[in-house]
Amino acid sequence: ETGVTQTPRHLVMGMTNKKSLKCEQHLGHNAMYWYKQSAKKPLELMFVYNFKEQTENNSVPSRFSPECPNSSHLFLHLHTLQPEDSALYLCASSQYKTGDYGYTFGSGTRLTVV
Amino acid sequence: RKEVEQDPGPFNVPEGATVAFNCTYSNSASQSFFWYRQDCRKEPKLLMSVYSSGNEDGRFTAQLNRASQYISLLIRDSKLSDSATYLCVVIDNYGQNFVFGPGTRLSVLP
């Protein structure tokens, strides 16, 4: 496997459900990110993890809960979401502070909250 | 003022046309710059880095003007497959802060 892998690709959930999004990177990067992209809107940074430590939380509602057990895996736990949370959720990884700052994105999870 | 701003678009151009996108950034301490491409309903993918001396990759040329805090992307001889949204990305604070522009949508028409 190569690059950044996200699962599932598509998810439909009710407002009372609990689900998790998974991201795995095979690039040896030390930073991982969650982004939200709503229809016709720019990318919104949600969370940043550097060396497994959360370094940024951009005022994201607590119904989104990230988890980074190691530098290769990142989860986004979802509970009691709202319809306006329907969006494309993108995971990315990068090599932090070593000169190669390019992001590699996963294919994303398209989430629909009903 | 937004941190990164781009031409609002959309740009609709015929095949073979030359098209240029502009991007401005507000943080003069920004260190690294990239152009990403995002196809409809897909993830963004790195198109090219932007260097102070300017750089070219085939039909694509990127320029950086630090004094004016301005980045550009030029696409020559545009192809139908160039249709996508082009995102300007500015990185500062030693890689801690990636800021994406809102994107400019390009449609190349036959």
Side-chain angles (χ1 to χ4, degrees):
Chain A
E1 295 188 46
T2 59
V4 180
T5 305
Q6 284 188 248
T7 53
R9 292 293 302 272
H10 300 273
L11 177 62
V12 179
M13 61 185 288
M15 289 191 283
T16 59
N17 292 158
K18 289 185 180 181
K19 296 286 183 184
S20 295
L21 310 185
K22 179 182 176 183
C23 176
E24 186 173 358
Q25 59 97 359
H26 308 276
L27 300 167
H29 288 165
N30 50 31
M32 296 185 77
Y33 312 81
W34 280 116
Y35 278 85
K36 175 184 178 182
Q37 190 172 38
S38 302
K40 300 191 177 183
K41 288 188 178 179
L43 286 160
E44 301 172 50
L45 179 63
M46 300 176 72
F47 300 105
V48 180
Y49 278 83
N50 290 319
F51 298 100
K52 303 186 299 176
E53 299 296 322
Q54 189 181 124
T55 58
E56 192 155 344
N57 173 342
N58 270 4
S59 303
V60 179
S62 60
R63 58 186 184 268
F64 295 91
S65 173
E67 179 190 359
C68 187
N70 55 61
S71 57
S72 299
H73 293 84
L74 186 64
F75 295 90
L76 188 63
H77 303 300
L78 316 171
H79 64 97
T80 59
L81 294 191
Q82 304 298 312
E84 61 265 28
D85 296 323
S86 298
L88 178 67
Y89 288 83
L90 289 161
C91 174
S93 70
S94 74
Q95 193 63 8
Y96 173 66
K97 279 194 174 181
T98 61
D100 175 10
Y101 300 137
Y103 266 11
T104 301
F105 282 92
S107 302
T109 295
R110 190 159 296 280
L111 173 68
T112 304
V113 181
V114 297
Chain B
R1 181 184 172 187
K2 293 180 181 175
E3 291 186 72
V4 179
E5 297 191 71
Q6 293 186 240
D7 289 331
F11 283 51
N12 298 314
V13 303
E15 266 188 293
T18 296
V19 60
F21 303 133
N22 299 318
C23 171
T24 57
Y25 59 96
S26 59
N27 185 353
S28 59
S30 298
Q31 296 154 332
S32 301
F33 310 89
F34 299 89
W35 283 102
Y36 274 72
R37 168 195 170 127
Q38 185 172 25
D39 292 293
C40 188
R41 303 179 72 83
K42 296 281 184 72
E43 75 276 18
K45 291 187 178 178
L46 179 64
L47 178 65
M48 59 197 304
S49 304
V50 187
Y51 303 121
S52 298
S53 54
N55 49 300
E56 189 172 313
D57 183 1
R59 298 181 292 109
F60 298 83
T61 301
Q63 297 276 357
L64 166 64
N65 184 323
R66 285 189 184 271
S68 302
Q69 294 178 207
Y70 164 93
I71 305 155
S72 66
L73 177 68
L74 182 76
I75 305 176
R76 290 181 298 277
D77 187 23
S78 52
K79 313 290 184 191
L80 295 176
S81 56
D82 294 333
S83 297
T85 296
Y86 290 83
L87 303 166
C88 175
V89 181
V90 175
I91 299 167
D92 55 23
N93 198 18
Y94 297 100
Q96 287 193 70
N97 189 20
F98 285 67
V99 184
F100 283 80
T104 301
R105 182 169 174 78
L106 171 66
S107 292
V108 180
L109 308 172

